[in-house]
Amino acid sequence: MTLRTTDLRTTGEPERIGRPAGRPVNPLKRMPVEPRDRLEGTWRQARPGRIRKAFDVAQSRDPGGWHVVGSSTDVGRDRSVTRTVLGREVVLWRLEDGTLQAGPGSCPHLGALLDDCEVMHGQVYCRWHGLALGEGVRRDWLTFPAHDDGVLVWVRLPTEGETLGDAPRLTDRPPMSQSFATVVTLRGRCEPQDVIANRLDPWHGTWYHPYAFSHLTVDDSVSTDEVLVVDVAFRVTKQWGVPVRAEFTCPDARTIVMTIMDGEGAGSVVETHATSLGTDAAGRPVTVMTEATIAHSPRRGFQVARAVAGLIRPAVAATQRQLWVDDLAYAERRYELRARGETYGGV
């Protein structure tokens, strides 16, 4: 069953003549979950060659050396935080006007880690001896370009195979004044490409995540190697779902974005970013998946939701984490097979 945009009116309560103008349509549709023993598999649609073509297109898009290193709220004005990217420690802090700054994570004096250090007058003060560090302070400690997009923070580092860009490639988002964002991060023993490959296989959704999705179909008539258009129902109960039409695109090789094009929450986006930390003690790659859900709705009640976003975010984050526990297992398995020299379907 395909839930096309034009079908949304007929999947649940019919439109009634004389419905008061402006009255919102109930997004819930009666869409009973198909019993597992009668649910049709999607392996025929999830053709390996097709997934590989979309993956190759995504990997050809140069991130310009920009890496997501957390949520904007992770970096306050009074203390520094550190992150690891490609095996390099990076310290993050803010100037007095809130501008994000980044630099090497080790103090040039005796190598102290610059995490949770005091920030005063726009400079980081080393916890060991109080050395003040910032842009233009020392020739042996040079800062890195950094960017705060209002939801996520980025840092630019020289990255093999990439041409350094002036700014990260940002996706279109709904107005933040009418939205609220939730950010989660999880680590996996895989490479960034494995996280992206997982999302370029939407066909696994109904079988692998039956608690979250059903009635999923990729619209082949409008999908390409660059854009996947999916009709899917987000599960509320076993009997009720919320059908939406969504679009998956990759602005760069380490990012994949789902945008809801039609249905409840149209304009909302889910950005999934993959950042390499380097390798663990056993030499295995470690990647951090950072996912930002930017929820948006024209409904009047959504303004109330925005007002209590702090109470809603934990529930949204719990759902994101549950999905990514499964999906990181998928990504880790993909890396494990590649490391063993095994291939299936050419991917």
Side-chain angles (χ1 to χ4, degrees), residues 162-183:
E162 298 181 14
T163 301
L164 298 181
D166 293 335
R169 294 186 179 185
L170 303 180
T171 188
D172 290 334
R173 294 172 175 170
M176 290 309 300
S177 61
Q178 302 169 29
S179 312
F180 73 86
T182 305
V183 179

Side-chain angles (χ1 to χ4, degrees), residues 9-346:
R9 296 191 306 272
T10 63
T11 57
E13 178 186 1
E15 290 289 329
R16 293 189 178 92
I17 297 175
R19 182 188 293 273
R23 179 181 170 184
V25 177
N26 186 350
L28 286 174
K29 307 297 176 184
R30 184 173 174 80
M31 306 173 70
V33 173
E34 192 77 14
R36 293 289 282 181
D37 61 351
R38 283 191 254 151
L39 181 63
E40 185 178 353
T42 55
W43 61 273
R44 290 183 178 87
Q45 291 76 40
R47 298 191 302 274
R50 178 180 185 177
I51 296 171
R52 183 74 209 189
K53 286 181 180 179
F55 174 78
D56 288 343
V57 169
Q59 294 304 290
S60 71
R61 294 183 168 163
D62 191 345
W66 287 96
H67 303 261
V68 168
V69 287
S71 169
S72 296
T73 58
D74 291 344
V75 189
R77 299 198 181 201
D78 300 325
R79 313 291 295 191
S80 66
V81 298
T82 58
R83 294 289 186 266
T84 301
V85 181
L86 300 174
R88 299 180 65 175
E89 294 167 340
V90 177
V91 62
L92 304 164
W93 76 99
R94 295 187 187 276
L95 299 180
E96 292 178 292
D97 65 1
T99 302
L100 183 70
Q101 300 285 285
S106 297
C107 177
H109 174 219
L110 287 175
L113 181 64
L114 297 172
D115 187 50
D116 195 30
C117 295
E118 292 176 273
V119 176
M120 297 179 287
H121 313 297
Q123 295 181 323
V124 178
Y125 283 73
C126 177
R127 297 174 67 187
W128 283 8
H129 301 94
L131 176 62
L133 298 165
E135 186 174 9
V137 172
R138 295 175 65 103
R139 293 182 180 179
D140 59 351
W141 194 90
L142 301 178
T143 56
F144 308 134
H147 181 79
D148 184 342
D149 66 21
V151 177
L152 300 171
V153 288
W154 306 66
V155 64
R156 193 188 75 184
L157 295 174
T159 305
E160 184 178 357
E162 298 181 14
T163 301
L164 298 181
D166 293 335
R169 294 186 179 185
L170 303 180
T171 188
D172 290 334
R173 294 172 175 170
M176 290 309 300
S177 61
Q178 302 169 29
S179 312
F180 73 86
T182 305
V183 179
V184 298
T185 60
L186 285 90
R187 293 189 182 193
R189 290 188 178 92
C190 60
E191 295 177 335
Q193 61 160 293
D194 300 304
V195 172
I196 302 305
N198 167 269
R199 277 295 190 259
L200 288 172
D201 170 18
W203 295 274
H204 74 266
T206 51
W207 268 95
Y208 201 35
H209 308 298
Y211 53 85
F213 308 116
S214 70
H215 300 78
L216 185 151
T217 304
V218 174
D219 188 342
D220 291 321
S221 67
V222 293
S223 295
T224 67
D225 293 339
E226 297 184 347
V227 180
L228 283 170
V229 180
V230 176
D231 295 305
V232 65
F234 293 108
R235 299 312 311 170
V236 178
T237 69
K238 289 186 176 180
Q239 296 297 318
W240 296 88
V242 178
V244 302
R245 188 172 178 85
E247 180 180 279
F248 289 82
T249 58
C250 291
D252 68 59
R254 290 190 291 273
T255 301
I256 187 165
V257 179
M258 182 192 78
T259 303
I260 296 180
M261 308 304 293
D262 198 6
E264 183 63 16
S268 300
V269 300
V270 178
E271 297 180 11
T272 305
H273 303 267
T275 301
S276 171
L277 271 65
T279 57
D280 64 13
R284 295 170 298 189
V286 180
T287 291
V288 167
M289 184 288 306
T290 302
E291 187 162 89
T293 297
I294 303 163
H296 172 78
S297 175
R299 291 177 179 274
R300 272 178 248 165
F302 187 74
Q303 298 309 312
V304 177
R306 287 189 65 248
V308 293
L311 300 177
I312 296 174
R313 283 192 183 98
V316 176
T319 299
Q320 289 176 274
R321 289 193 181 94
Q322 184 179 10
L323 287 168
W324 271 105
V325 167
D326 291 343
D327 281 339
L328 277 176
Y330 179 126
E332 289 178 336
R333 175 64 175 175
R334 187 177 186 273
Y335 169 75
E336 181 183 358
L337 292 173
R338 189 168 65 256
R340 295 198 319 224
E342 297 182 25
T343 59
Y344 291 84

